[in-house]
């Protein structure tokens, strides 16, 4: 193999650093991709394709998509994340999560009148 083809600017440490700049869920996705392949070089293209989604969408959206994918899939790949992002599932997830946080922490508590007792 020619020497110029042997040199690769990307390695697993650099890819993992890029993922850690985006967020913890993205880092977990990249680590799972690398752990699912027998030779680490086999995970370069799939890891980079996942990380390049942050160029098309934002880093925050990619992080949310990774969080959603990790809750459903053991080793999320580009196609899983791309479908989440293209159908705006990440935005719906964030809005649902925000509406849950806006509700009262205490929940709905029934008073004594509901159970037939009189309030003193």
């Amino acid at each position: 193999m020619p020497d110029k083809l042997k040199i690769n600017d990307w390695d697993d440490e650099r890819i993992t650093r890029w993922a850690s700049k985006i967020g913890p869920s993205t880092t977990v996705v990249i680590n799972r991709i690398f752990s699912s392949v027998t030779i680490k070089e086999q995970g370069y293209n799939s890891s980079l394709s996942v990380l390049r989604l942050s160029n098309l969408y934002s880093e925050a959206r990619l992080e949310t998509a990774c969080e959603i994918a990790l809750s459903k899939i053991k080793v999320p790949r580009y196609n899983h994340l791309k479908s989440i992002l293209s159908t705006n599932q990440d935005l719906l997830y964030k809005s649902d999560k925000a509406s849950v946080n806006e509700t009262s922490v205490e929940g709905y508590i029934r008073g004594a009148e509901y159970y037939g007792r009189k309030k003193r």
Side-chain angles (χ1 to χ4, degrees):
M1 185 178 266
D3 288 337
K4 73 176 192 176
L5 295 177
K6 289 182 182 179
I7 299 172
N8 190 358
D9 292 339
W10 290 96
D11 60 350
D12 56 332
E13 293 173 5
R14 185 174 175 193
I15 293 170
T16 306
R17 275 196 312 268
W18 184 8
S20 66
K21 288 179 184 176
I22 295 174
S25 297
T26 308
T27 306
V28 171
V29 168
I30 298 303
N31 288 335
R32 287 190 184 177
I33 289 173
F34 280 124
S35 66
S36 69
V37 295
T38 54
I39 302 170
K40 65 180 179 178
E41 285 82 4
Q42 292 173 332
Y44 287 179
N45 286 337
S46 57
S47 298
L48 287 172
S49 64
V50 166
L51 294 174
R52 286 186 186 121
L53 284 171
S54 67
N55 295 336
L56 185 58
Y57 302 95
S58 68
E59 290 183 352
R61 287 191 66 189
L62 177 60
E63 176 66 16
T64 306
C66 288
E67 185 179 336
I68 294 168
L70 285 170
S71 68
K72 299 177 182 180
I73 304 166
K74 184 177 178 181
V75 183
R77 299 289 182 147
Y78 172 84
N79 290 334
H80 302 124
L81 299 170
K82 175 73 172 167
S83 67
I84 290 171
L85 291 166
S86 64
T87 57
N88 295 327
Q89 292 177 25
D90 59 314
L91 300 175
L92 295 173
Y93 176 78
K94 275 222 163 176
S95 66
D96 289 345
K97 198 173 181 181
S99 66
V100 169
N101 290 339
E102 289 176 2
T103 60
S104 173
V105 176
E106 299 170 10
Y108 182 76
I109 300 174
R110 295 182 175 117
E113 294 95 19
Y114 179 83
Y115 295 104
R117 292 186 303 185
K118 294 184 179 180
K119 211 174 191 182
R120 293 183 187 192

